[in-house]
Amino acid sequence: MDGLMMDVPLSIPLLLRRTEALFGHKPLVTRRADRSLQRCTYGECLRRARGLAAGLASLGVTPGDRVGTFCWNHSRHLEAYYGVPASGAVLHTLNIRLHADELAYIITHAGDAAIIVDKVLWPAFAPVRERLGNIPIIVISDDGDLPPGTIDYEQVVAATAPSDSLADIDEGAGALMCYTSGTTGRSKGVLYSHRSMVLHALTLSLPDCLNLRESDVVLAVVPMFHVNAWGLPFACAMLGSAQVLPGPCLDAASLVELFESERVTVTAGVPTIWHGVLKYLDEHPGHDLSSLRAMVVGGAAIPESTIRAFDTRHGLHIVHAWGMTETSPIGTISRVPSELASAPPDYQYAWRATQGRPAPMVEIRARSEQGLVAWDGMTMGELEVRGPWVAAAYYPGDVAMDRWTDDGWFRTGDIVTIAPSGCVTIQDRAKDLVKSGGEWISTVALESALVGHPWVSEVAVVAVPHPQWGERPLAVIVPVAGCQPTIEELRTFLAPRFAKWWLPDAVVLVDHLPKTGTGKLKKHEVRAMFKEQFAQEQRP
Ligand code: ADP
């Protein structure tokens, strides 16, 4: 027997009609490239978003077409976030930090029908454009001065009378698209549907997830080209939360200034950002960040020492979450459960440093070569996930069998343990693990611990070849200025927490570590840097 409920499509227009009806007055604040603040409202933003949709249609963009964006976080990027999916087209956010060849590949593979580009990013986009065919390039420019052959964004927004309403769209239709950032080989396209984005926004907002509400002022440091700014633009629009958009000014001083002046309540970014903010706050005390109730961190593991330092030194609360481009991104989130509310602080910090438990509607399991592993907190296996906002294939429909199981679960490539509580701890990316004497060593666990050493600023632990053990861990460290940590000191520091055979055999001090466009360590590059050197040293 069928249920007797309305079949209302779960589409982005359904969220945005609420925003327009109830929250038209709520503010959106953008930091421009020249550092000035630009203020507008959801009402203005959505009016212009409808103008953009109409303008794109007059340029020949039809439902299902992909529209690329090559932009920082600002309110006009939000117009595209809302206007493009609401028109039936697919918003394809492009990672501004990728190499021109990779971008040209992604744009061509996605078949983008038009691209919206920030004028301040033109130097990075110009070499990409040379590699593209003749597609409309629409430029957002503050001074009205445009690169030759491009179209003025303001004219597109104003050219055609926008429709009055935001009409429903089939919930299964594609809404947004994002390519993986290529830390695991060639970028692959993930195509989010209207339905998946709506369900993701709802879940993200829940108290045990990001705990968002109308009264929040949300600042996504995470770029709008990194997995849909983790879904925040849609959750905020649905709830009517104010948004602060930092533009290109992502240094710690600029962020702290915005947190303070705009009374930001929730912010989100990768660990690299928060390590910078922590250092800045330690060196510049006296900021009033009392409005800030949650700093969400994901994209890479945040060490327990950082969570503790924010809490104890600055009264700031880190919320740790795990996700991927393929999971929209929210997969798991680390909230201390009620039964641990009065547990000792050390226990709570340890819990918060794990990746936490699956969000509602996300199912997890882990598999080793022997089959599915027990949830015993000890046995490692590859994490597999399933849920309504988890990719079922890569664009345009590629079900690579090394990424999906026969029964349709997505294989994350992350090696985890799952505790009896359901709490997930990422031990490593499958390819980053050190396999020593046939046993796995988690480089993430070693890195998280080493970053707690007062002389260590940044660290990557990588596998280097070893004649007896196959591989051994090497610590590659950017030291705090003026410090020279030795391998003996570091091993002594780690010894109380790890089995002896886990401890790195050697340390190399470097000036900096290579990072991806989304601020993650490029472990494969670090590994390549030292692999040959160590292999040579070990030759007889
Ligand atoms: P890419 O896969 O190209 O690096 P993603 O942004 O999709 O781009 O990265 C997803 C990966 O990032 C995960 O598979 C995992 O390895 C890592 N990751 C994300 N969040 C966390 C976290 N909280 N702790 C540890 N690793 C994380």
Side-chain angles (χ1 to χ4, degrees):
M1 183 190 284
D2 290 338
L4 292 172
M5 290 291 126
M6 290 185 187
D7 193 11
V8 176
L10 302 180
S11 69
I12 288 172
L14 179 64
L15 301 187
L16 299 180
R17 289 199 296 271
R18 178 170 204 261
T19 322
E20 261 194 331
L22 308 182
F23 309 118
H25 60 289
K26 294 290 304 281
L28 301 170
V29 182
T30 294
R31 165 107 68 185
R32 291 201 188 94
D34 66 4
R35 300 188 60 79
S36 63
L37 294 182
Q38 178 239 334
R39 292 175 192 278
C40 66
T41 61
Y42 273 112
E44 288 161 304
C45 175
L46 288 172
R47 242 189 330 277
R48 287 171 53 88
R50 283 190 276 109
L52 173 64
L56 287 170
S58 70
L59 286 173
V61 173
T62 56
D65 279 352
R66 277 73 63 209
V67 176
T69 55
F70 194 79
C71 300
W72 292 110
N73 292 18
H74 48 60
S75 65
R76 282 180 281 186
H77 202 174
L78 271 187
E79 291 163 13
Y81 252 67
Y82 302 146
V84 172
S87 75
V90 174
L91 181 85
H92 176 198
T93 53
L94 295 162
N95 183 338
I96 61 172
R97 299 196 181 108
L98 294 183
H99 188 272
D101 290 343
E102 185 69 7
L103 280 163
Y105 164 80
I106 289 173
I107 292 166
T108 310
H109 188 267
D112 289 350
I115 304 179
I116 300 170
V117 182
D118 269 353
K119 164 90 179 296
V120 289
L121 291 170
W122 192 256
F125 189 75
V128 184
R129 194 202 182 179
E130 286 167 16
R131 292 163 168 81
L132 302 177
N134 194 20
I135 52 175
I137 305 294
I138 302 160
V139 172
I140 298 176
S141 161
D142 281 332
D143 57 14
D145 185 23
L146 299 177
T150 61
I151 304 166
D152 183 2
Y153 179 83
E154 289 305 314
Q155 279 181 10
V156 178
V157 169
T160 320
S163 69
D164 291 337
S165 67
L166 293 154
D168 279 342
I169 290 176
D170 170 17
E171 65 176 29
L176 281 93
M177 179 183 240
C178 185
Y179 276 65
T180 60
S181 56
T183 45
T184 48
R186 195 100 230 198
S187 299
K188 296 180 201 70
V190 178
L191 179 56
Y192 311 95
S193 64
H194 280 264
R195 177 175 188 268
S196 74
M197 293 305 301
V198 168
L199 292 173
H200 184 267
L202 270 176
T203 310
L204 194 70
S205 312
L206 290 173
D208 285 339
C209 285
L210 264 49
N211 188 15
L212 299 174
R213 56 190 81 144
E214 181 273 335
S215 56
D216 272 324
V217 179
V218 177
L219 190 156
V221 185
V222 50
M224 290 167 76
F225 54 77
H226 188 195
V227 212
N228 318 317
W230 298 352
L232 286 166
F234 298 105
C236 290
M238 174 182 78
L239 299 169
S241 319
Q243 293 184 64
V244 182
L245 301 116
C249 307
L250 298 177
D251 58 287
S254 301
L255 292 175
V256 169
E257 187 188 309
L258 271 186
F259 294 154
E260 194 168 16
S261 65
E262 298 302 319
R263 305 300 292 157
V264 169
T265 61
V266 176
T267 178
V270 292
T272 321
I273 294 285
W274 302 133
H275 285 131
V277 167
L278 179 63
K279 186 161 179 278
Y280 178 83
L281 290 176
D282 285 346
E283 289 165 3
H284 302 85
H287 288 281
D288 174 10
L289 299 185
S290 54
S291 59
L292 201 52
R293 63 184 172 78
M295 303 169 90
V296 180
V297 56
I302 185 100
E304 185 186 317
S305 55
T306 310
I307 302 179
R308 199 185 279 266
F310 268 114
D311 251 354
T312 54
R313 303 213 286 268
H314 304 288
L316 293 172
H317 190 80
I318 293 269
V319 177
H320 188 194
W322 168 90
M324 308 180 72
T325 308
E326 291 91 334
T327 65
S328 296
I330 192 77
T332 68
I333 188 148
S334 195
R335 293 279 188 190
V336 176
S338 55
E339 60 269 23
L340 295 181
S342 48
D346 282 356
Y347 201 90
Q348 297 201 18
Y349 284 125
W351 178 286
R352 287 172 55 197
T354 72
Q355 281 66 27
R357 300 201 280 191
M361 291 187 263
V362 175
E363 293 178 277
I364 58 165
R365 66 189 189 189
R367 186 191 296 277
S368 73
E369 280 161 13
Q370 283 74 46
L372 292 181
V373 306
W375 289 20
D376 59 7
M378 287 184 310
T379 315
M380 290 195 208
E382 181 183 3
L383 180 66
E384 298 177 354
V385 292
R386 178 176 186 271
W389 51 86
V390 178
Y394 289 120
Y395 181 77
D398 174 16
V399 189
M401 280 331 286
D402 60 331
R403 299 313 300 269
W404 282 274
T405 63
D406 289 345
D407 58 348
W409 289 57
F410 177 69
R411 298 180 56 191
T412 64
D414 285 334
I415 303 299
V416 302
T417 51
I418 307 178
S421 59
C423 201
V424 173
T425 302
I426 304 266
Q427 303 291 345
D428 235 321
R429 280 274 176 109
K431 60 186 175 18
D432 289 338
L433 278 167
V434 180
K435 198 151 197 192
S436 175
E439 297 286 343
W440 284 344
I441 297 176
S442 160
T443 62
V444 171
L446 290 170
E447 286 161 4
S448 296
L450 282 170
V451 131
H453 189 286
W455 290 3
V456 174
S457 170
E458 288 180 49
V459 54
V461 175
V462 292
V464 288
H466 189 278
Q468 183 181 1
W469 301 111
E471 288 178 346
R472 289 293 300 151
L474 167 74
V476 184
I477 284 178
V478 180
V480 169
C483 301
Q484 292 245 318
T486 63
I487 187 62
E488 290 73 29
E489 277 156 350
L490 296 174
R491 284 173 66 93
T492 310
F493 177 74
L494 293 172
R497 276 176 281 176
F498 297 96
K500 196 152 173 260
W501 61 274
W502 273 48
L503 304 183
D505 294 339
V507 62
V508 177
L509 303 185
V510 293
D511 291 337
H512 74 279
L513 287 166
K515 304 227 175 65
T516 67
T518 49
K520 298 189 198 194
L521 270 179
K522 280 187 179 165
K523 284 267 196 83
H524 56 289
E525 271 188 26
V526 183
R527 227 176 3 248
M529 274 157 64
F530 295 102
K531 190 174 165 192
E532 192 46 30
Q533 179 187 331
F534 274 76
Q536 268 172 17
E537 279 174 16
Q538 282 151 10
R539 271 179 210 132

